Amino acid sequence: MSYDPDNIFARILRGEIPATRVYEDDDTLAFMDIMPRADGHCLVIPKTPCRNILDASPEQLAAVMRTVQKLARAVMAGLGAQGVTVQQFSEAAGGQEVFHLHFHVLPRFEGVKLRPPGQPGDMDEIAAHAERIRAAIVAG
Ligand code: AMP
């Protein structure tokens, strides 16, 4: 399986389509999922191309996981989450729909189930959650 440079996350990286960005460094970008399965659901991607965990280099994985941990801590502090679920899907049979490596960071609250996939979120709510996550990252 080869990497498609026109996948939607590659287009976000090139600035061709908008995203609600919450964090970036030299190697990774984090932005809000537009169909959030939990309040504050965000995604972390490498800036360099790879489809998923199967073709990622150790360096890509290390960089992405550093940012996943940063976002996990930020949703705990910024949104008052009580836990975090991290998900990654590889290839269609593994549940993957966008073929640029990404990890889902899902803030969790006691007794609150994940919403079903594929339901567009309220963009004002997503923006408000993003602001609280960004503030928590800045506060460190
Ligand atoms: P999956 O490949 O199964 O891990 O899922 C892809 C995820 O990307 C889903 O949670 C979608 O809601 C999310 N998604 C798809 N398009 C966008 C977009 N333009 N901006 C933010 N998230 C997106």
Side-chain angles (χ1 to χ4, degrees):
M1 297 284 191
S2 61
Y3 180 81
D4 170 10
D6 286 325
N7 75 75
I8 202 150
F9 294 169
R11 298 185 65 205
I12 285 174
L13 281 169
R14 291 197 295 268
E16 292 169 6
I17 57 171
T20 305
R21 296 171 176 234
V22 286
Y23 175 79
E24 80 177 285
D25 59 22
D26 287 348
D27 302 313
T28 65
L29 172 68
F31 55 96
M32 303 305 287
D33 197 303
I34 53 169
M35 292 183 259
R37 300 195 60 199
D39 289 351
H41 180 175
C42 48
L43 302 169
V44 180
I45 65 175
K47 288 187 172 177
T48 49
C50 62
R51 275 175 75 83
N52 54 44
I53 204 166
L54 299 169
D55 64 338
S57 68
E59 292 75 21
Q60 285 173 314
L61 289 174
V64 166
M65 287 313 293
R66 271 195 296 274
T67 301
V68 166
Q69 186 185 47
K70 187 180 281 285
L71 269 290
R73 288 174 171 166
V75 300
M76 294 290 287
L79 301 178
Q82 294 157 311
V84 181
T85 299
V86 173
Q87 291 181 326
Q88 194 283 320
F89 305 108
S90 286
E91 298 302 329
Q96 187 174 15
E97 293 181 351
V98 179
F99 295 94
H100 180 109
L101 175 67
H102 55 279
F103 282 77
H104 299 254
V105 177
L106 296 144
R108 301 303 302 273
F109 301 85
E110 290 295 341
V112 180
K113 292 187 175 151
L114 293 181
R115 295 189 282 269
Q119 298 183 352
D122 178 303
M123 290 311 287
D124 290 339
E125 268 183 31
I126 289 172
H129 293 140
E131 193 49 51
R132 289 166 65 187
I133 295 169
R134 278 189 215 106
I137 291 172
V138 169

